[in-house]
C-alpha cells in the first residue's frame, strides 16, 4: 500500500478546523493529562529566554517524552520526527543528516548546550533532555554554520528532587541496553546537586557479513553534571562524560544503474574484521551570574577529545559489478585524533530604553581545533568473489607508520543581538557578528547580519519575516586530497543567505502549537564530492557556483484533547544547482521534494497509552547527475506503554514495532554507500522509577 504526502498532511492539519478562537471549548484537565509534547522555548535559537512566539525563525523542539516513547537509541531515530531533516549516509558507525536539503557538517552543524560540538559519531542521546532543530543560517550566534541550520542537543540538568531510574530494553536480534539515570541534592541546603547517567549497550544488527556473522556494536557511556549555588546570584556547573563505541564496519550497500540494490538488503560488502573504535570525552564548566535585576552573564567552556581507530577493508566496486561478482578491497589501518575547545561569554540585559523594551545580547565565542592522523596502508589488494571464504585480516597497524598528518585552526567571533518590543503587537530583532579564522593558507574574515520583524495579532499568534546569512570557510585555499580527481583545485569560501516568512499559532487553550514557514535559501561555493570507479582515485570533488532551496513547512505539536497528543510536520523543497558547470538544473543527492512525519499518543486510561507513527519520504536522487533515483516510501511504527505501581515505585513497560508493514526501501547515501532499510522489528523495555 502506498501513501502520498497528502495522507500525512491531512493528518497533520486536522487541528486547523479549530482555528476560530471564539469556538474553542475550554477543556477541564482531569486524569493523567500533562502536555509533554509541546515546548514553548528553544534557548539555542536566540541564546536568551525568548519564547518560540518571540523567535523570528522556524524551530522544532523534540522533547524527551517522544524519545522515550519511541525507545530511540540514536540521534537519527530522534530527528526522524522533524520532516525537514532527512538521512544521509550511515556508513562507518556514524550518522549524516540533511536539514532543509543541506548536509549538516560534523564540525559546524551540531551544538551541545550552545557549544559547537564535534559530531563524527553516534551521539549518546540518553543524556539529552530535548533536541532543538534551528532552521536556516545561524552564523550570527555560533559562527561557522551551514545554510540548513543547526541541531542543538540539550542535556539533562541536576535536580534537587531525588531521582533514580533504571531501565533495560531488547529487540528481536538480541540487542540489549541497560541504563541508569540518577539525580538529587548532595547536601541539606540543596545548593549542591547532581545528575548522572550510565549506559551499557550491545547491538546486533539485521545486516550481516558474507561469512554469515551479523554486524555488532558495543557501547559504554558515563556522564556526570554537578551544580553548585555559590550564592543566590551565582551558579557554577561542571560536567564530564565519556563514550566508548566499538562496532563492525558497514560502509553501505551498492546500487545498480536502475537504482536497485545489488544483492539483498542484509549483505555487507566489508569484511567481518573491519571495525571502528571510538573514545570521546567532554569536560567543562559553566557559570551563570545575575549582575543585577537587569543584567546577567553566562560563561561556558568545553573541551572535547575524540580518538578513533578505524581498520578498513575498504571494498571497491567495479562499473560492471553484479551481486555475486568479484570486487576489490584495499585494507588499511588509521588513527584519528580530533580536539575541540570551545568558549563563550554572553551578557544578557532586559531593560527599557527610549520608551521601548530591549532584550539585548552581547557576546563572544571561540573554537580551537586540532586534527591529527596516522595511517598505514602498505598491504596487497584483496580480490574477493561473493561465496568465497573470507580472507584473513592483514597484519598491519597504524603505529607502523609514524608519519603524522595534522591540521589546526582557531576562530573567534563577537556578536550583538537585540529583540525590541515596540508594543503588544510589534517586535523587531536585529544583530550582527564579526568572525575571524586563523589558519595557515586559509585565513578568513566575515560579517554576518540578521534581521527579523514580528507581528502579534494576539497573545497566542505571531507572523514574522527574517533574513539571515551564514559563512563557512573552506579547510584550505586549495582542495587537498590525494585520492580526489581534482586535488589542488582552488577553493572559495561558502556563503549562504535565507529569507523566511512564517506563522506560529497556539490553539486549544495554548496546548497546541501550529506553525508554518516559507523559505528561500541560496548557497554559493558548496563542495560536491562523489565516489568514482578508478584504479587509484576514489572521489571527484567540484565546487557549485550556486545552490538554491525553496520551499515551505507546516507543523503541529501538542495536545488536541486531554487524551490525544501529536507531533507532526510536512515539508516541500525545490532544490536545484542554479549555477554549476556539471550539474546545472539538477537536484542534489538525498533531497526529496516531499517529506512528512507524524507521531501520536492516545491515553486509553491513566495507565495505558498507545502510540502510532507514519514517516514519509519522497523519491530522491542517489547521484548529482540525477540518473539514479531512490523510490519514496512510508514507514509505519506503533507502540504501547503500560504503567504499573509497585508500592511507592513506578514500573513503565513499553513495546514498539518498527516498520510494521515490513517495507523494503532505501534511506540515505549514494550509489556506493546507500543505507538499506531494516525489516520489521520490535523492541521491548522496562523502566523502574524509584
Amino acid at each position: 500500500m502506498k501513501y502520498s504526502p497528502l495522507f500525512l498532511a491531512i493528518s497533520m492539519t486536522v487541528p486547523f478546523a479549530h482555528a476560530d478562537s471564539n469556538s474553542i471549548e475550554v477543556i477541564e484537565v482531569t486524569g493523567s493529562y500533562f502536555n509533554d509534547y509541546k515546548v514553548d522555548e528553544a534557548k539555542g535559537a536566540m541564546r536568551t529566554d525568548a519564547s518560540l512566539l518571540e523567535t523570528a525563525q522556524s524551530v522544532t523542539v523534540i522533547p524527551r517524552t517522544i524519545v522515550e516513547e519511541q525507545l530511540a537509541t540514536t540521534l537519527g531515530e530522534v530527528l526522524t520526527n522533524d520532516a525537514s531533516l532527512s538521512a544521509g549516509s550511515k556508513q562507518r558507525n556514524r550518522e549524516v543528516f540533511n536539514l532543509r536539503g543541506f548536509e549538516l557538517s560534523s564540525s559546524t552543524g551540531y551544538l551541545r548546550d550552545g557549544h559547537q560540538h564535534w559530531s563524527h559519531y553516534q551521539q549518546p542521546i540518553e543524556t539529552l533532555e530535548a533536541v532543538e532543530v534551528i532552521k536556516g543560517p545561524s552564523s550570527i550566534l555560533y559562527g561557522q554554520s551551514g545554510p540548513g541550520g543547526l541541531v542543538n542537543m540539550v542535556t539533562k540538568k541536576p535536580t534537587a528532587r531525588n531521582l533514580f531510574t533504571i531501565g533495560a530494553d531488547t529487540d528481536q536480534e538480541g540487542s540489549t541496553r541497560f541504563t541508569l539515570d540518577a539525580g538529587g541534592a548532595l547536601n541539606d541546603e540543596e545548593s549542591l546537586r547532581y545528575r548522572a547517567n550510565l549506559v551499557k549497550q550491545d547491538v546486533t544488527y539485521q545486516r550481516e557479513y558474507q561469512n554469515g556473522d551479523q554486524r555488532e556494536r558495543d557501547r559504554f557511556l558515563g556522564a556526570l553534571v554537578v551544580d553548585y549555588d555559590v550564592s543566590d546570584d551565582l551558579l557554577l556547573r561542571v560536567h564530564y562524560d565519556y563514550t566508548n563505541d566499538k562496532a563492525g564496519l558497514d560502509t553501505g550497500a551498492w546500487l545498480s544503474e536502475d537504482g536497485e540494490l545489488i544483492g539483498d538488503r542484509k549483505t555487507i560488502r566489508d569484511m567481518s574484521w573491519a571495525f571502528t573504535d571510538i573514545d570521546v570525552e567532554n569536560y567543562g564548566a559553566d557559570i551563570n551570574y545575575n549582575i543585577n535585576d537587569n543584567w546577567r552573564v553566562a560563561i561556558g567552556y568545553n573541551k572535547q577529545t575524540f580518538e578513533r581507530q578505524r581498520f578498513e577493508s575498504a571494498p571497491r566496486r567495479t562499473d560492471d559489478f553484479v551481486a555475486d561478482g568479484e570486487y576489490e578491497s584495499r585494507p588499511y589501518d588509521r588513527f584519528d585524533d580530533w580536539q575541540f575547545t570551545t568558549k563563550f561569554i554572553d551578557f544578557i540585559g532586559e531593560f527599557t530604553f527610549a520608551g521601548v523594551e530591549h532584550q539585548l545580547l552581547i557576546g563572544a565565542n571561540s573554537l580551537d581545533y586540532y586534527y591529527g592522523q596516522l595511517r598505514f596502508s602498505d598491504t596487497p589488494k584483496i580480490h574477493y568473489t561473493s561465496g568465497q571464504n573470507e580472507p584473513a585480516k592483514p597484519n598491519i597497524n597504524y603505529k607502523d607508520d609514524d608519519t603524522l598528518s595534522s591540521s589546526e585552526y582557531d576562530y573567534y567571533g563577537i556578536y550583538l543581538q537585540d529583540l525590541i518590543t515596540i508594543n503588544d503587537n510589534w517586535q523587531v530583532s536585529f544583530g550582527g557578528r564579526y568572525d575571524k579564522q586563523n589558519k595557515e593558507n586559509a585565513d578568513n574574515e566575515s560579517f554576518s547580519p540578521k534581521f527579523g520583524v514580528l507581528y502579534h495579532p494576539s497573545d497566542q499568534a505571531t507572523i514574522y519575516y527574517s533574513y539571515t546569512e551564514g559563512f563557512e570557510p573552506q579547510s584550505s585555499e586549495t582542495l587537498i586530497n590525494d585520492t580526489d580527481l581534482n586535488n589542488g583545485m582552488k577553493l572559495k569560501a561558502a556563503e549562504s543567505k535565507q529569507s523566511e516568512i512564517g506563522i506560529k499559532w497556539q490553539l486549544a487553550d495554548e496546548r497546541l502549537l501550529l506553525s508554518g514557514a516559507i523559505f528561500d535559501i541560496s548557497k554559493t561555493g558548496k563542495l560536491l564530492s562523489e565516489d568514482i570507479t578508478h584504479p587509484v582515485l576514489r572521489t571527484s570533488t567540484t565546487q557549485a557556483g550556486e545552490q538554491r532551496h525553496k520551499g515551505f513547512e507546516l507543523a503541529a505539536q501538542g495536545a488536541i484533547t486531554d487524551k490525544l497528543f501529536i507531533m507532526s510536520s510536512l515539508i516541500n523543497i525545490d532544490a536545484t544547482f542554479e549555477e554549476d558547470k556539471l550539474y546545472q538544473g539538477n537536484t542534489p543527492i538525498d533531497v526529496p521534494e516531499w517529506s512528512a512525519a507524524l507521531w501520536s499518543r492516545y491515553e486509553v486510561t491513566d495507565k495505558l497509552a498507545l502510540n502510532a507513527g507514519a514517516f514519509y519520504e519522497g523519491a530522491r536522487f542517489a547521484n548529482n547527475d540525477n540518473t539514479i533515483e531512490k523510490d519514496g516510501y512510508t514507514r509505519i511504527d506503533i507502540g504501547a506503554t503500560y504503567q504499573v505501581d509497585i508500592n511507592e515505585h513506578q514500573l513503565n513497560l513499553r513495546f514498539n514495532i518498527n516498520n510494521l508493514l515490513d517495507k523494503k526501501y532505501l534511506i540515505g547515501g549514494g550509489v556506493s554507500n546507500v543505507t538499506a532499510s531494516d525489516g520489521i522489528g520490535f523492541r521491548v523495555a522496562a523502566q523502574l522509577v524509584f
Side-chain angles (χ1 to χ4, degrees), residues 394 489 518 652:
M489 175 180 63
I518 301 171
N652 295 315

Side-chain angles (χ1 to χ4, degrees), residues 191-435:
S191 60
L192 189 62
R193 303 170 299 277
Y194 81 99
R195 190 71 175 265
N197 291 97
L198 288 174
V199 178
K200 180 63 174 71
Q201 182 183 21
D202 295 286
V203 182
T204 300
Y205 293 91
Q206 292 188 24
R207 281 171 60 82
E208 59 188 36
Y209 299 98
Q210 292 174 82
N211 66 355
D213 293 344
Q214 287 181 267
R215 180 179 175 234
E216 296 182 343
R217 177 188 178 205
D218 183 10
R219 181 173 70 103
F220 170 80
L221 164 69
L224 176 66
V225 185
V226 176
D227 278 0
Y228 176 52
D229 295 327
V230 181
S231 69
D232 290 342
D233 294 315
L234 179 60
L235 169 68
L236 170 65
R237 173 174 293 150
V238 294
H239 64 269
Y240 174 82
D241 65 82
Y242 168 74
T243 298
N244 174 255
D245 195 347
K246 184 174 182 178
L249 278 184
D250 181 357
T251 53
W254 297 343
L255 296 180
S256 69
E257 293 182 355
D258 298 325
E260 301 293 331
L261 277 180
I262 301 176
D264 62 50
R265 62 177 170 176
K266 288 190 175 183
T267 300
I268 300 175
R269 300 293 174 183
D270 303 83
M271 303 301 170
S272 65
W273 38 257
F275 71 90
T276 178
D277 191 356
I278 295 171
D279 288 285
V280 186
E281 284 187 293
N282 287 278
Y283 57 88
D286 294 271
I287 295 174
N288 285 275
Y289 178 61
N290 294 320
I291 301 172
N292 54 41
D293 291 341
N294 300 110
W295 285 92
R296 60 186 174 89
V297 60
I299 303 172
Y301 169 88
N302 187 73
K303 173 74 173 183
Q304 184 182 18
T305 62
F306 178 103
E307 296 181 344
R308 177 186 69 185
Q309 181 186 5
R310 201 172 87 200
F311 198 107
E312 286 265 11
S313 59
R316 297 190 182 187
R317 58 178 291 182
T318 58
D319 286 333
D320 56 353
F321 179 78
V322 295
D324 298 324
E326 180 183 275
Y327 62 91
E328 180 183 280
S329 289
R330 299 187 178 186
Y332 64 86
D333 189 24
R334 62 184 276 185
F335 176 79
D336 301 284
D337 176 17
W338 281 279
Q339 297 182 25
F340 257 50
T341 303
T342 56
K343 312 179 192 74
F344 72 79
I345 180 169
D346 288 344
F347 292 91
I348 301 153
E350 297 185 9
F351 54 89
T352 300
F353 179 74
V356 295
E357 297 178 7
H358 296 260
Q359 188 182 76
L360 181 64
L361 168 67
I362 302 173
N365 56 11
S366 67
L367 167 70
D368 293 326
Y369 170 95
Y370 168 82
Y371 171 65
Q373 181 189 122
L374 295 172
R375 174 170 170 156
F376 188 85
S377 56
D378 187 14
T379 182
K381 303 174 186 177
I382 295 175
H383 294 275
Y384 177 76
T385 301
S386 299
Q388 292 181 342
N389 291 331
E390 182 180 87
K393 177 183 176 182
N395 185 23
I396 57 175
N397 191 289
Y398 67 86
K399 297 177 182 178
D400 295 338
D401 186 354
D402 59 1
T403 303
L404 175 68
S405 60
S406 64
S407 63
E408 54 187 312
Y409 67 86
D410 63 80
Y411 83 80
Y412 65 87
I414 55 175
Y415 46 88
L416 180 146
Q417 173 185 270
D418 195 7
L419 175 62
I420 301 173
T421 302
I422 300 172
N423 54 40
D424 291 342
N425 299 110
W426 290 95
Q427 289 180 302
V428 175
S429 67
F430 66 90
R433 176 190 180 94
Y434 169 78
D435 253 318

Side-chain angles (χ1 to χ4, degrees), residues 5 39-40 44 50 144 164 194 207 296 378 391 425 438 454 475 508 539 561 619 647 652 673:
V39 180
D40 296 321
Q144 303 174 15
F164 192 85
Y194 81 99
R207 281 171 60 82
R296 60 186 174 89
D378 187 14
N425 299 110
N438 300 307
L454 304 96
S475 58
T539 57
T561 71
N647 295 326
N652 295 315
N673 61 4

Side-chain angles (χ1 to χ4, degrees), residues 59-98:
V59 181
T60 297
V61 183
I62 305 168
R64 182 73 198 170
T65 296
I66 291 178
V67 176
E68 292 180 344
E69 286 180 354
Q70 296 176 341
L71 295 177
T73 61
T74 69
L75 183 62
E77 293 172 354
V78 177
L79 295 180
T80 302
N81 293 286
D82 186 348
S84 64
L85 286 138
S86 58
S89 170
K90 293 185 179 181
Q91 59 180 330
R92 298 185 175 93
N93 198 29
R94 60 175 292 239
E95 297 177 296
V96 177
F97 308 101
N98 300 315

